[in-house]
Amino acid sequence: MPRLPIILAACLALAPLAAHADECDDLTRQIAGAIGGKVGKRSGPSIDIRLPGPNRFDVTCRAEPIVQAISAEPQPSATFFRDLSTASEILTGESASTVEPIIAKAYRTAVSDGRKSFIQQNGWSASCYADPTSSTMRTLCSVGRIPPG
């Protein structure tokens, strides 16, 4: 019996983490369904989304969730930008048609400047990094909500 209060305290302490994980799982399921993927493995705060083709996606949930897309293509396809904007709409509430040109601009800036490009917009941000020399990750773009404060 003396262990019951300790076990109860541990369960109460972990409850917010479980709720956060459930929210992240739900968000990842919504995004995967919208872009034609399947929920993959969880690794810490990140959950992979499996898709056919050269693009990889994951959702990372910390203070605010982030969706990240990686392309191994020399130049990301229209599908890469369309899927990332669709995922971003679910994540941020901003329409995919608004997000897509902003992500494309971040990508173009990253390529032309040779460094990570970061654009903030209405409580969310988009960033892209391009490495033309890599054979596995040529482009990495992410979109996420900006934490309050």
Side-chain angles (χ1 to χ4, degrees):
M1 276 297 214
R3 291 185 191 174
L4 185 59
I6 294 170
I7 293 170
L8 183 59
C11 288
L12 290 174
L14 293 176
L17 295 175
H20 188 66
D22 289 343
E23 290 171 17
C24 194
D25 291 335
D26 290 344
L27 181 62
T28 304
R29 274 192 290 279
Q30 288 177 41
I31 291 171
I35 63 174
K38 295 185 183 201
V39 176
K41 294 186 337 184
R42 176 185 277 275
S43 178
S46 297
I47 304 171
D48 291 331
I49 297 175
R50 295 183 308 233
L51 292 164
N55 301 327
R56 297 185 337 232
F57 279 71
D58 71 61
V59 176
T60 300
C61 295
R62 290 200 172 109
E64 292 292 338
I66 297 169
V67 64
Q68 178 174 276
I70 297 171
S71 175
E73 297 176 299
Q75 181 173 353
S77 65
T79 301
F80 175 85
F81 293 107
R82 186 179 59 246
D83 286 351
L84 183 54
S85 350
T86 298
S88 300
E89 180 174 352
I90 294 166
L91 185 83
T92 67
E94 192 77 51
S95 75
S97 62
T98 298
V99 175
E100 189 168 352
I102 293 168
I103 296 167
K105 179 182 179 184
Y107 168 73
R108 287 190 309 273
T109 302
V111 169
S112 67
D113 292 357
R115 61 179 174 80
K116 183 176 181 178
S117 174
F118 182 78
I119 299 173
Q120 289 188 347
Q121 189 88 9
N122 300 329
W124 59 274
S125 66
S127 66
C128 285
Y129 171 78
D131 183 354
T133 63
S134 174
S135 62
T136 57
M137 191 276 309
R138 300 252 173 128
T139 302
L140 181 147
C141 293
S142 62
V143 175
R145 290 183 230 142
I146 299 170

XYZ file of all heavy atoms in Angstrom, residues 34-144:
820
model
N -4.029 13.149 -45.521
C -4.223 14.215 -46.504
C -3.202 14.164 -47.639
O -3.503 14.593 -48.757
C -4.154 15.578 -45.813
N -1.998 13.640 -47.370
C -0.968 13.614 -48.420
C -0.730 12.208 -48.980
O 0.211 11.991 -49.736
C 0.361 14.246 -47.939
C 0.993 13.465 -46.780
C 0.151 15.708 -47.570
C 2.375 13.968 -46.363
N -1.591 11.274 -48.595
C -1.496 9.923 -49.161
C -0.407 9.069 -48.537
O 0.087 8.143 -49.173
N -0.053 9.355 -47.295
C 0.983 8.592 -46.614
C 0.421 7.727 -45.504
O -0.792 7.688 -45.280
N 1.326 7.049 -44.836
C 0.966 6.220 -43.681
C 1.863 6.610 -42.522
O 3.047 6.891 -42.710
C 1.159 4.742 -43.997
C 0.223 4.260 -45.066
C 0.355 2.785 -45.282
C -0.586 2.447 -46.422
N -0.987 1.156 -46.548
N 1.294 6.588 -41.333
C 2.069 6.917 -40.137
C 3.127 5.845 -39.925
O 2.827 4.651 -39.964
C 1.151 7.035 -38.900
C 1.961 7.268 -37.639
C 0.130 8.154 -39.106
N 4.345 6.286 -39.735
C 5.467 5.372 -39.522
C 5.871 5.329 -38.070
O 5.033 5.449 -37.172
N 7.172 5.202 -37.857
C 7.702 5.037 -36.501
C 7.820 6.372 -35.774
O 8.044 7.400 -36.376
C 9.088 4.392 -36.554
C 9.069 2.976 -37.063
C 10.390 2.251 -36.999
C 11.615 3.091 -36.957
N 12.867 2.367 -36.982
N 7.683 6.275 -34.459
C 7.917 7.428 -33.584
C 9.334 7.312 -33.054
O 9.784 6.254 -32.653
C 6.928 7.429 -32.424
C 7.197 8.551 -31.420
C 6.280 8.452 -30.219
N 4.992 9.048 -30.477
C 4.724 10.350 -30.330
N 5.662 11.170 -29.961
N 3.516 10.811 -30.562
N 10.022 8.445 -33.034
C 11.348 8.529 -32.445
C 11.379 9.788 -31.596
O 11.504 10.897 -32.128
C 12.410 8.584 -33.544
O 13.687 8.719 -32.979
N 11.204 9.620 -30.291
C 11.117 10.779 -29.401
C 9.900 11.603 -29.760
O 8.803 11.078 -29.894
N 10.077 12.917 -29.991
C 8.924 13.770 -30.314
C 8.554 13.752 -31.799
O 7.641 14.446 -32.214
C 9.400 15.161 -29.898
C 10.876 15.114 -30.115
C 11.291 13.694 -29.763
N 9.262 12.958 -32.626
C 9.031 12.947 -34.069
C 8.360 11.655 -34.525
O 8.667 10.580 -34.023
C 10.352 13.096 -34.822
O 10.937 14.336 -34.527
N 7.461 11.803 -35.505
C 6.770 10.661 -36.090
C 6.945 10.729 -37.600
O 6.625 11.746 -38.227
C 5.267 10.667 -35.740
C 5.063 10.718 -34.223
C 4.579 9.450 -36.338
C 3.626 10.938 -33.797
N 7.454 9.655 -38.189
C 7.647 9.584 -39.640
C 6.321 9.366 -40.347
O 5.424 8.706 -39.829
C 8.555 8.405 -40.011
C 9.979 8.608 -39.564
O 10.428 9.765 -39.479
O 10.657 7.597 -39.305
N 6.245 9.901 -41.559
C 5.134 9.614 -42.457
C 5.745 8.936 -43.672
O 6.626 9.493 -44.326
C 4.381 10.895 -42.863
C 3.745 11.541 -41.626
C 3.328 10.577 -43.921
C 3.078 12.876 -41.899
N 5.301 7.716 -43.940
C 5.825 6.962 -45.085
C 5.032 7.316 -46.335
O 3.799 7.287 -46.327
C 5.741 5.466 -44.813
C 6.634 5.028 -43.657
C 6.560 3.536 -43.482
N 5.164 3.097 -43.382
C 4.671 2.366 -42.428
N 5.444 1.915 -41.483
N 3.397 2.023 -42.406
N 5.767 7.641 -47.385
C 5.186 7.985 -48.678
C 5.941 7.254 -49.775
O 7.146 7.040 -49.637
C 5.338 9.486 -48.960
C 4.559 10.464 -48.115
C 5.122 11.865 -48.269
C 3.110 10.451 -48.565
N 5.268 6.913 -50.866
C 6.018 6.375 -52.000
C 6.798 7.523 -52.647
O 6.389 8.676 -52.581
C 4.925 5.853 -52.932
C 3.696 6.606 -52.553
C 3.834 6.952 -51.105
N 7.916 7.212 -53.248
C 8.677 8.229 -53.960
C 9.841 8.795 -53.163
O 10.182 8.300 -52.084
N 10.422 9.875 -53.668
C 11.666 10.409 -53.110
C 11.502 11.370 -51.926
O 12.494 11.852 -51.394
C 12.275 11.150 -54.300
C 11.081 11.647 -55.044
C 10.041 10.548 -54.898
N 10.271 11.665 -51.528
C 10.056 12.631 -50.448
C 9.778 11.933 -49.126
O 9.101 10.909 -49.086
C 8.891 13.558 -50.799
C 9.125 14.317 -52.075
O 10.251 14.667 -52.408
N 8.067 14.565 -52.817
N 10.331 12.502 -48.060
C 10.087 11.989 -46.707
C 9.507 13.114 -45.862
O 9.922 14.265 -45.985
C 11.391 11.508 -46.081
C 12.017 10.350 -46.807
C 13.255 9.786 -46.117
N 13.926 10.691 -45.218
C 15.220 10.975 -45.243
N 16.007 10.411 -46.112
N 15.746 11.810 -44.373
N 8.568 12.758 -45.013
C 7.934 13.732 -44.130
C 7.997 13.240 -42.698
O 8.014 12.026 -42.443
C 6.450 13.903 -44.506
C 6.209 14.826 -45.662
C 6.552 14.461 -46.948
C 5.632 16.064 -45.463
C 6.332 15.299 -48.019
C 5.405 16.915 -46.537
C 5.746 16.534 -47.809
N 8.006 14.174 -41.763
C 7.804 13.830 -40.359
C 7.171 15.007 -39.642
O 7.221 16.146 -40.111
C 9.095 13.364 -39.672
C 10.103 14.454 -39.428
O 9.797 15.414 -38.703
O 11.221 14.342 -39.964
N 6.537 14.695 -38.536
C 5.931 15.700 -37.668
C 6.659 15.620 -36.339
O 6.823 14.528 -35.777
C 4.416 15.441 -37.472
C 3.815 16.434 -36.488
C 3.689 15.491 -38.813
N 7.113 16.763 -35.857
C 7.783 16.831 -34.561
C 6.943 17.708 -33.646
O 6.595 18.833 -34.014
C 9.206 17.418 -34.694
O 9.961 16.570 -35.556
C 9.898 17.489 -33.337
N 6.607 17.193 -32.484
C 5.784 17.937 -31.536
C 6.600 18.256 -30.288
O 6.985 17.356 -29.540
C 4.546 17.129 -31.171
S 3.446 16.872 -32.573
N 6.863 19.528 -30.139
C 7.491 20.053 -28.919
C 6.577 21.147 -28.415
O 5.392 20.904 -28.266
C 8.903 20.528 -29.230
C 9.847 19.380 -29.541
C 11.296 19.799 -29.366
N 12.153 18.638 -29.486
C 12.952 18.397 -30.509
N 13.026 19.243 -31.510
N 13.697 17.317 -30.533
N 7.089 22.351 -28.166
C 6.229 23.451 -27.718
C 5.129 23.705 -28.745
O 3.973 23.893 -28.398
C 7.056 24.707 -27.495
N 5.491 23.725 -30.015
C 4.545 23.835 -31.127
C 4.959 22.796 -32.172
O 6.150 22.563 -32.379
C 4.576 25.235 -31.736
C 4.028 26.323 -30.835
C 2.531 26.222 -30.599
O 1.813 25.601 -31.415
O 2.076 26.768 -29.581
N 3.996 22.195 -32.861
C 4.344 21.168 -33.847
C 4.993 21.761 -35.101
O 4.738 22.904 -35.470
C 3.005 20.515 -34.176
C 1.973 21.490 -33.771
C 2.561 22.346 -32.701
N 5.824 20.944 -35.725
C 6.517 21.300 -36.966
C 6.365 20.125 -37.926
O 6.511 18.975 -37.530
C 8.027 21.536 -36.706
C 8.237 22.710 -35.775
C 8.779 21.740 -38.011
C 9.664 22.831 -35.268
N 6.092 20.429 -39.190
C 6.115 19.402 -40.222
C 7.355 19.665 -41.072
O 7.656 20.803 -41.406
C 4.822 19.367 -41.072
C 4.631 20.640 -41.853
C 4.811 18.168 -42.003
N 8.083 18.598 -41.348
C 9.339 18.700 -42.088
C 9.272 17.777 -43.297
O 8.788 16.662 -43.202
C 10.480 18.282 -41.167
C 11.835 18.290 -41.800
C 12.899 18.002 -40.763
O 13.327 18.892 -40.072
N 13.297 16.754 -40.659
N 9.779 18.277 -44.421
C 9.807 17.483 -45.653
C 11.227 17.467 -46.194
O 11.916 18.480 -46.190
C 8.860 18.074 -46.683
N 11.649 16.297 -46.643
C 12.992 16.119 -47.195
C 12.858 15.517 -48.588
O 12.103 14.570 -48.790
C 13.838 15.188 -46.307
C 14.039 15.817 -44.930
C 15.180 14.876 -46.961
C 14.670 14.896 -43.914
N 13.600 16.081 -49.534
C 13.618 15.555 -50.894
C 15.048 15.217 -51.281
O 15.956 15.999 -51.024
C 13.059 16.584 -51.882
O 13.195 16.102 -53.208
N 15.231 14.065 -51.915
C 16.548 13.659 -52.404
C 16.709 14.017 -53.882
O 17.748 13.768 -54.467
C 16.748 12.158 -52.202
N 15.670 14.604 -54.475
C 15.733 14.991 -55.885
C 16.641 16.211 -56.062
O 16.735 17.052 -55.168
C 14.332 15.337 -56.394
C 13.378 14.169 -56.366
C 11.976 14.576 -56.777
O 11.374 15.430 -56.101
O 11.503 14.027 -57.772
N 17.285 16.349 -57.230
C 18.107 17.533 -57.475
C 17.313 18.830 -57.303
O 17.818 19.812 -56.791
C 18.564 17.365 -58.926
C 18.520 15.898 -59.164
C 17.369 15.385 -58.330
N 16.052 18.825 -57.725
C 15.143 19.945 -57.474
C 13.820 19.335 -57.029
O 13.302 18.444 -57.697
C 14.940 20.775 -58.730
C 14.024 21.941 -58.497
C 13.948 22.865 -59.708
O 14.666 22.699 -60.675
N 13.063 23.822 -59.639
N 13.275 19.791 -55.901
C 12.027 19.197 -55.422
C 10.908 19.323 -56.462
O 10.804 20.325 -57.157
C 11.683 19.999 -54.177
C 12.920 20.695 -53.790
C 13.728 20.863 -55.031
N 10.080 18.306 -56.527
C 8.967 18.276 -57.471
C 7.816 19.150 -56.981
O 7.784 19.579 -55.825
C 8.470 16.837 -57.618
O 7.941 16.398 -56.375
N 6.863 19.372 -57.862
C 5.646 20.098 -57.488
C 4.918 19.353 -56.369
O 4.321 19.967 -55.485
C 4.744 20.266 -58.708
N 4.997 18.012 -56.399
C 4.358 17.199 -55.350
C 4.953 17.520 -53.982
O 4.225 17.593 -52.989
C 4.515 15.698 -55.668
O 3.907 15.445 -56.924
C 3.892 14.826 -54.602
N 6.256 17.702 -53.911
C 6.931 18.049 -52.655
C 6.296 19.299 -52.056
O 5.894 19.312 -50.896
C 8.425 18.281 -52.925
C 9.210 18.748 -51.742
C 9.730 17.849 -50.836
C 9.465 20.102 -51.549
C 10.487 18.272 -49.743
C 10.209 20.542 -50.461
C 10.721 19.624 -49.560
N 6.189 20.368 -52.854
C 5.638 21.631 -52.361
C 4.140 21.522 -52.077
O 3.653 22.068 -51.084
C 5.927 22.763 -53.358
C 7.384 23.090 -53.454
C 8.119 22.732 -54.564
C 8.044 23.743 -52.418
C 9.469 23.026 -54.653
C 9.397 24.040 -52.486
C 10.112 23.685 -53.610
N 3.413 20.810 -52.924
C 1.970 20.645 -52.710
C 1.697 19.868 -51.425
O 0.861 20.269 -50.608
C 1.332 19.947 -53.917
C -0.190 19.870 -53.816
C -0.830 19.184 -55.027
N -0.336 17.825 -55.194
C 0.413 17.413 -56.231
N 0.751 18.245 -57.186
N 0.802 16.169 -56.313
N 2.410 18.750 -51.223
C 2.201 17.955 -50.006
C 2.595 18.732 -48.756
O 1.895 18.676 -47.737
C 2.981 16.638 -50.079
C 2.355 15.625 -51.019
O 1.227 15.850 -51.508
O 3.017 14.591 -51.268
N 3.695 19.463 -48.815
C 4.113 20.244 -47.642
C 3.106 21.355 -47.355
O 2.784 21.625 -46.207
C 5.519 20.814 -47.837
C 6.087 21.590 -46.642
C 6.042 20.783 -45.349
C 7.514 22.041 -46.949
N 2.550 21.997 -48.392
C 1.544 23.031 -48.129
C 0.253 22.442 -47.586
O -0.385 23.046 -46.729
C 1.184 23.855 -49.349
O 1.961 23.659 -50.397
N -0.124 21.264 -48.071
C -1.317 20.587 -47.541
C -1.113 20.251 -46.067
O -1.988 20.495 -45.231
C -1.614 19.309 -48.352
O -1.875 19.683 -49.705
C -2.794 18.543 -47.787
N 0.053 19.699 -45.739
C 0.369 19.384 -44.342
C 0.398 20.649 -43.496
O -0.087 20.661 -42.355
C 1.713 18.665 -44.272
N 0.921 21.713 -44.058
C 1.024 22.983 -43.331
C -0.342 23.576 -43.037
O -0.543 24.187 -41.986
C 1.855 23.979 -44.139
O 3.147 23.477 -44.342
N -1.285 23.406 -43.966
C -2.639 23.910 -43.729
C -3.243 23.230 -42.499
O -3.864 23.881 -41.663
C -3.525 23.671 -44.949
C -4.939 24.176 -44.765
C -5.791 24.078 -46.018
O -5.262 23.757 -47.099
O -6.997 24.328 -45.902
N -3.051 21.935 -42.390
C -3.559 21.192 -41.231
C -2.864 21.666 -39.958
O -3.486 21.841 -38.918
C -3.373 19.676 -41.444
C -4.259 19.214 -42.604
C -3.668 18.893 -40.169
C -3.933 17.833 -43.125
N -1.588 21.912 -40.054
C -0.783 22.293 -38.893
C -1.055 23.727 -38.437
O -1.202 23.980 -37.244
C 0.696 22.132 -39.243
C 1.681 22.363 -38.133
C 1.827 21.098 -37.306
C 3.019 22.760 -38.715
N -1.114 24.669 -39.392
C -1.195 26.092 -39.022
C -2.578 26.696 -39.185
O -2.846 27.756 -38.626
C -0.230 26.934 -39.889
O -0.679 26.919 -41.246
C 1.195 26.446 -39.781
N -3.427 26.077 -39.999
C -4.734 26.652 -40.290
C -4.687 27.629 -41.456
O -5.727 28.087 -41.925
N -3.501 27.957 -41.942
C -3.346 28.843 -43.106
C -3.598 28.013 -44.367
O -3.145 26.879 -44.458
C -1.924 29.393 -43.119
C -1.702 30.532 -44.070
C -2.244 31.858 -43.565
O -1.925 32.236 -42.422
O -2.980 32.509 -44.323
N -4.296 28.567 -45.346
C -4.650 27.781 -46.534
C -3.404 27.325 -47.297
O -2.398 28.025 -47.348
C -5.558 28.585 -47.469
O -4.801 29.562 -48.151
N -3.501 26.145 -47.883
C -2.397 25.589 -48.663
C -2.022 26.522 -49.808
O -0.848 26.670 -50.138
C -2.760 24.199 -49.190
N -3.008 27.192 -50.392
C -2.723 28.103 -51.503
C -1.943 29.333 -51.046
O -1.221 29.940 -51.843
C -4.020 28.514 -52.205
O -4.877 29.205 -51.316
N -2.041 29.691 -49.790
C -1.243 30.791 -49.234
C 0.154 30.301 -48.871
O 1.144 30.997 -49.100
C -1.933 31.376 -47.976
O -3.203 31.899 -48.359
C -1.104 32.463 -47.335
N 0.233 29.102 -48.321
C 1.510 28.570 -47.828
C 2.449 28.167 -48.969
O 3.652 28.425 -48.905
C 1.267 27.359 -46.891
C 2.562 26.717 -46.476
C 0.472 27.781 -45.670
N 1.913 27.551 -50.018
C 2.768 26.991 -51.068
C 3.722 28.010 -51.700
O 4.923 27.735 -51.810
C 1.928 26.302 -52.142
C 2.778 25.527 -53.121
C 1.965 24.597 -54.010
O 0.746 24.420 -53.779
O 2.565 24.045 -54.933
N 3.277 29.205 -52.097
C 4.239 30.144 -52.681
C 5.278 30.651 -51.672
O 6.401 30.984 -52.056
C 3.371 31.292 -53.221
C 2.027 31.109 -52.639
C 1.907 29.687 -52.194
N 4.926 30.666 -50.410
C 5.885 31.099 -49.382
C 6.977 30.050 -49.204
O 8.167 30.380 -49.109
C 5.147 31.422 -48.062
C 4.270 32.656 -48.272
C 6.130 31.629 -46.913
C 3.282 32.932 -47.173
N 6.588 28.767 -49.195
C 7.585 27.695 -49.106
C 8.468 27.710 -50.360
O 9.691 27.575 -50.265
C 6.907 26.313 -48.944
C 6.143 26.233 -47.626
C 7.948 25.192 -49.011
C 5.213 25.040 -47.527
N 7.851 27.894 -51.534
C 8.626 27.939 -52.780
C 9.611 29.107 -52.763
O 10.760 28.966 -53.203
C 7.683 28.045 -53.973
N 9.190 30.250 -52.226
C 10.091 31.405 -52.122
C 11.243 31.101 -51.163
O 12.401 31.432 -51.444
C 9.325 32.641 -51.652
C 10.205 33.862 -51.505
C 9.440 35.064 -50.998
C 10.384 36.250 -50.844
N 9.698 37.401 -50.277
N 10.932 30.460 -50.042
C 11.992 30.088 -49.087
C 12.989 29.143 -49.754
O 14.204 29.278 -49.561
C 11.386 29.437 -47.843
N 12.494 28.221 -50.566
C 13.379 27.296 -51.282
C 14.259 28.056 -52.275
O 15.476 27.872 -52.311
C 12.568 26.213 -52.000
C 13.412 25.415 -52.970
C 14.342 24.485 -52.506
C 13.326 25.636 -54.335
C 15.149 23.782 -53.385
C 14.121 24.928 -55.222
C 15.033 24.005 -54.734
O 15.843 23.319 -55.606
N 13.645 28.903 -53.103
C 14.414 29.667 -54.098
C 15.480 30.532 -53.430
O 16.608 30.630 -53.909
C 13.484 30.538 -54.950
C 12.667 29.762 -55.951
C 11.936 30.672 -56.932
N 11.165 31.742 -56.305
C 9.911 31.626 -55.876
N 9.279 30.468 -55.992
N 9.285 32.652 -55.332
N 15.139 31.144 -52.310
C 16.093 31.977 -51.576
C 17.235 31.135 -51.030
O 18.400 31.527 -51.098
C 15.386 32.739 -50.436
O 14.338 33.537 -51.006
C 16.350 33.623 -49.669
N 16.916 29.962 -50.501
C 17.961 29.066 -49.978
C 18.927 28.662 -51.080
O 20.147 28.632 -50.867
C 17.331 27.825 -49.339
N 18.406 28.382 -52.269
C 19.257 27.983 -53.392
C 20.109 29.161 -53.852
O 21.323 29.039 -54.025
C 18.408 27.425 -54.564
C 19.246 27.252 -55.820
C 17.766 26.108 -54.168
N 19.488 30.328 -54.021
C 20.240 31.479 -54.550
C 21.256 32.027 -53.543
O 22.332 32.461 -53.934
C 19.293 32.589 -54.997
O 18.611 33.153 -53.897
N 20.920 31.992 -52.244
C 21.822 32.540 -51.218
C 22.805 31.507 -50.674
O 23.742 31.863 -49.970
C 21.030 33.127 -50.055
C 20.244 34.373 -50.436
O 20.355 34.818 -51.606
O 19.522 34.897 -49.574
N 22.543 30.221 -50.952
C 23.430 29.168 -50.454
C 23.397 28.993 -48.948
O 24.361 28.578 -48.329
N 22.250 29.319 -48.342
C 22.105 29.160 -46.889
C 20.628 28.934 -46.555
O 19.765 29.083 -47.410
C 22.632 30.380 -46.152
C 21.907 31.662 -46.484
C 22.449 32.865 -45.710
N 21.829 34.095 -46.165
C 20.641 34.513 -45.798
N 19.916 33.811 -44.957
N 20.148 35.645 -46.262
N 20.353 28.615 -45.303
C 18.980 28.390 -44.863
C 18.175 29.676 -45.018
O 18.653 30.762 -44.692
C 18.968 27.931 -43.406
C 17.589 27.599 -42.887
C 17.668 27.065 -41.473
C 16.294 26.707 -40.965
N 16.353 26.149 -39.619
N 16.975 29.534 -45.521
C 16.055 30.660 -45.671
C 14.917 30.490 -44.681
O 14.381 29.397 -44.523
C 15.514 30.686 -47.101
O 14.523 31.680 -47.227
N 14.526 31.570 -44.028
C 13.522 31.533 -42.971
C 12.541 32.676 -43.196
O 12.952 33.833 -43.325
C 14.232 31.674 -41.620
C 13.334 31.612 -40.436
C 12.852 30.399 -39.977
C 12.976 32.765 -39.756
C 12.026 30.337 -38.867
C 12.155 32.714 -38.650
C 11.680 31.497 -38.203
N 11.236 32.362 -43.287
C 10.202 33.377 -43.498
C 9.143 33.223 -42.408
O 8.606 32.142 -42.213
C 9.540 33.218 -44.884
C 10.583 33.379 -45.992
C 8.397 34.219 -45.053
C 10.067 33.069 -47.383
N 8.847 34.325 -41.698
C 7.788 34.328 -40.687
C 6.535 34.954 -41.276
O 6.623 35.929 -42.030
C 8.211 35.117 -39.454
C 9.262 34.430 -38.644
C 9.514 35.147 -37.325
O 9.093 36.265 -37.101
N 10.222 34.475 -36.451
N 5.388 34.402 -40.889
C 4.123 34.842 -41.465
C 2.986 34.558 -40.499
O 2.774 33.405 -40.146
C 3.905 34.055 -42.766
C 2.777 34.498 -43.601
C 3.188 35.583 -44.567
O 4.358 35.880 -44.720
N 2.233 36.195 -45.189
N 2.249 35.535 -40.034
C 0.999 35.359 -39.277
C 1.028 34.261 -38.210
O 0.128 33.430 -38.156
C -0.158 35.066 -40.238
C -0.377 36.185 -41.221
O -0.138 37.340 -40.916
N -0.817 35.835 -42.415
N 2.050 34.203 -37.386
C 2.109 33.219 -36.306
C 2.696 31.878 -36.696
O 2.678 30.932 -35.916
N 3.205 31.753 -37.905
C 3.862 30.519 -38.338
C 5.098 30.890 -39.146
O 5.286 32.039 -39.525
C 2.920 29.618 -39.131
C 2.342 30.211 -40.376
C 1.212 30.984 -40.476
C 2.856 30.108 -41.707
N 1.002 31.362 -41.781
C 2.001 30.837 -42.562
C 3.953 29.469 -42.263
C 2.194 30.942 -43.928
C 4.158 29.570 -43.635
C 3.287 30.297 -44.446
N 5.944 29.914 -39.368
C 7.162 30.171 -40.134
C 7.437 29.017 -41.091
O 7.010 27.889 -40.864
C 8.360 30.364 -39.203
O 8.639 29.163 -38.518
N 8.154 29.350 -42.157
C 8.603 28.360 -43.135
C 10.104 28.524 -43.282
O 10.616 29.642 -43.272
C 7.908 28.570 -44.476
N 10.803 27.414 -43.393
C 12.242 27.495 -43.644
C 12.631 26.406 -44.631
O 11.989 25.360 -44.705
C 13.032 27.353 -42.345
O 12.882 26.067 -41.807
N 13.675 26.683 -45.392
C 14.205 25.708 -46.342
C 15.716 25.767 -46.337
O 16.316 26.824 -46.115
C 13.718 25.974 -47.767
S 12.017 25.502 -48.066
N 16.294 24.615 -46.590
C 17.735 24.474 -46.738
C 17.958 23.591 -47.955
O 17.260 22.596 -48.130
C 18.341 23.830 -45.481
C 19.781 23.451 -45.637
C 20.772 24.417 -45.566
C 20.146 22.143 -45.875
C 22.113 24.078 -45.721
C 21.477 21.786 -46.027
C 22.456 22.756 -45.957
O 23.769 22.421 -46.125
N 18.890 23.972 -48.804
C 19.182 23.171 -49.999
C 20.670 22.853 -50.043
O 21.502 23.724 -49.807
C 18.757 23.921 -51.250
N 20.993 21.601 -50.311
C 22.385 21.168 -50.437
C 22.530 20.398 -51.743
O 22.232 19.212 -51.809
C 22.781 20.281 -49.258
C 24.238 19.855 -49.301
O 24.931 20.147 -50.300
O 24.686 19.223 -48.340
N 22.992 21.061 -52.804
C 23.088 20.395 -54.103
C 24.159 19.308 -54.170
O 24.176 18.511 -55.102
C 23.422 21.542 -55.067
C 24.003 22.610 -54.216
C 23.405 22.441 -52.851
N 25.014 19.220 -53.160
C 26.083 18.222 -53.180
C 25.702 16.920 -52.493
O 26.364 15.907 -52.666
C 27.357 18.776 -52.515
O 27.075 19.049 -51.134
C 27.812 20.050 -53.204
N 24.646 16.931 -51.705
C 24.230 15.733 -50.975
C 23.496 14.769 -51.898
O 22.744 15.188 -52.773
C 23.322 16.112 -49.809
O 22.804 14.962 -49.187
N 23.694 13.495 -51.685
C 22.973 12.514 -52.500
C 21.720 11.999 -51.791
O 20.877 11.361 -52.405
C 23.886 11.335 -52.838
O 24.289 10.692 -51.658
N 21.576 12.272 -50.501
C 20.423 11.761 -49.759
C 19.441 12.854 -49.353
O 18.251 12.609 -49.265
C 20.867 11.033 -48.478
O 21.639 11.929 -47.689
C 21.663 9.790 -48.806
N 19.933 14.045 -49.084
C 19.061 15.132 -48.644
C 19.448 16.386 -49.406
O 20.347 17.106 -49.027
C 19.201 15.362 -47.134
C 18.168 16.277 -46.523
S 18.393 18.061 -46.586
C 20.015 18.327 -45.987
N 18.774 16.598 -50.511
C 19.089 17.792 -51.305
C 18.326 19.001 -50.797
O 18.805 20.111 -50.884
C 18.742 17.546 -52.768
C 19.506 16.393 -53.374
C 20.534 16.896 -54.324
N 21.394 15.823 -54.803
C 21.621 15.583 -56.069
N 21.063 16.311 -56.994
N 22.429 14.622 -56.416
N 17.111 18.786 -50.310
C 16.285 19.892 -49.825
C 15.577 19.469 -48.544
O 15.053 18.365 -48.458
C 15.221 20.283 -50.866
O 15.868 20.634 -52.083
C 14.373 21.442 -50.393
N 15.571 20.366 -47.583
C 14.839 20.166 -46.340
C 14.033 21.438 -46.103
O 14.623 22.517 -46.024
C 15.790 19.917 -45.178
C 15.132 19.662 -43.832
C 15.972 18.683 -43.031
C 14.948 20.931 -43.040
N 12.727 21.318 -46.036
C 11.865 22.458 -45.732
C 10.969 22.094 -44.555
O 10.594 20.928 -44.401
C 10.985 22.824 -46.924
S 11.890 23.460 -48.346
N 10.655 23.078 -43.742
C 9.774 22.830 -42.611
C 8.835 24.016 -42.408
O 9.139 25.143 -42.796
C 10.571 22.574 -41.331
O 11.331 23.703 -40.992
N 7.693 23.721 -41.817
C 6.710 24.734 -41.471
C 6.233 24.423 -40.068
O 6.016 23.271 -39.712
C 5.526 24.725 -42.458
C 4.442 25.700 -42.014
C 5.987 25.055 -43.858
N 6.081 25.465 -39.265
C 5.594 25.274 -37.906
C 5.001 26.543 -37.337
O 5.246 27.635 -37.856
